[in-house]
Amino acid sequence: MTEKVAIASDHAGLPLKTVLKEMRSDIEWIDLGTHTPDSVDYPDYASALADCIGKGEAKRGVLICGTGIGISMAANRHKHIRAGVCHDVTTARLTRLDNDANVMCIGARIIGLNVALDCLEAFLKTDFAGDQPDGERHKNRVGKFS
Ligand code: RB5
């Protein structure tokens, strides 16, 4: 895998972020923190990742907090971010296919490592249905976000 993928978490997501990166060392990660177990505010990490994607340093990103919910809410405040909370292969696949999500959010207190790895694989390998010849409706729907 040569594509750069941005990743960030709060303290609750740090252990899962660390192991995910180790298990998928084939990916060129841009790790935006947090790097210590000290309590931090997840919106700061959502913003750092949104900025990274906004600057074109990575096309896609992974955000991890306790539930995946707070960090997705914060990420979606940024107009260029489409962040989906994923908790299994199906949600990870469909948030790419239907929503053209550029950020996958996962909850370290919700899913385990193997499910997270499966989500990551599905998220990275699934293309947006809107880019297929019969996918105009998906493009229209995602276009209505803004
Ligand atoms: C941190 O304790 C926790 O609130 C945060 O990681 C997240 O789950 C919020 O949505």
Side-chain angles (χ1 to χ4, degrees):
M1 165 88 44
T2 50
E3 181 186 329
K4 286 185 185 168
V5 180
I7 190 165
S9 74
D10 69 358
H11 53 287
L14 175 61
L16 181 57
K17 172 165 74 74
T18 305
V19 185
L20 261 189
K21 281 178 54 200
E22 273 170 22
M23 300 290 290
R24 289 301 308 264
S25 56
D26 57 311
I27 294 174
E28 200 176 333
W29 295 104
I30 301 175
D31 188 345
L32 300 162
T34 187
H35 300 292
T36 73
D38 301 336
S39 181
V40 292
D41 299 330
Y42 56 82
D44 296 337
Y45 294 86
S47 292
L49 189 130
D51 288 349
C52 177
I53 290 180
K55 285 185 208 147
E57 291 167 8
K59 229 171 70 186
R60 294 191 201 170
V62 176
L63 286 171
I64 313 174
C65 69
T67 60
I69 297 171
I71 209 158
S72 75
M73 289 177 169
N76 279 315
R77 292 299 180 105
H78 299 265
K79 278 198 184 325
H80 62 290
I81 297 298
R82 293 175 302 281
V85 183
C86 300
H87 44 77
D88 54 24
V89 172
T90 308
T91 45
R93 183 173 61 82
L94 290 179
T95 203
R96 284 288 311 129
L97 195 71
D98 288 358
N99 318 127
D100 198 17
N102 52 5
V103 175
M104 175 178 79
C105 300
I106 51 181
R109 294 173 180 160
I110 307 296
I111 63 171
L113 172 63
N114 284 303
V115 175
L117 284 167
D118 290 346
C119 287
L120 179 62
E121 182 65 16
F123 179 72
L124 293 179
K125 78 170 189 213
T126 306
D127 293 324
F128 177 40
D131 291 333
Q132 302 307 311
D134 62 346
E136 202 57 31
R137 68 189 184 286
H138 295 287
K139 243 187 194 145
N140 289 341
R141 289 167 189 158
V142 170
K144 287 187 176 187
F145 290 176
S146 45

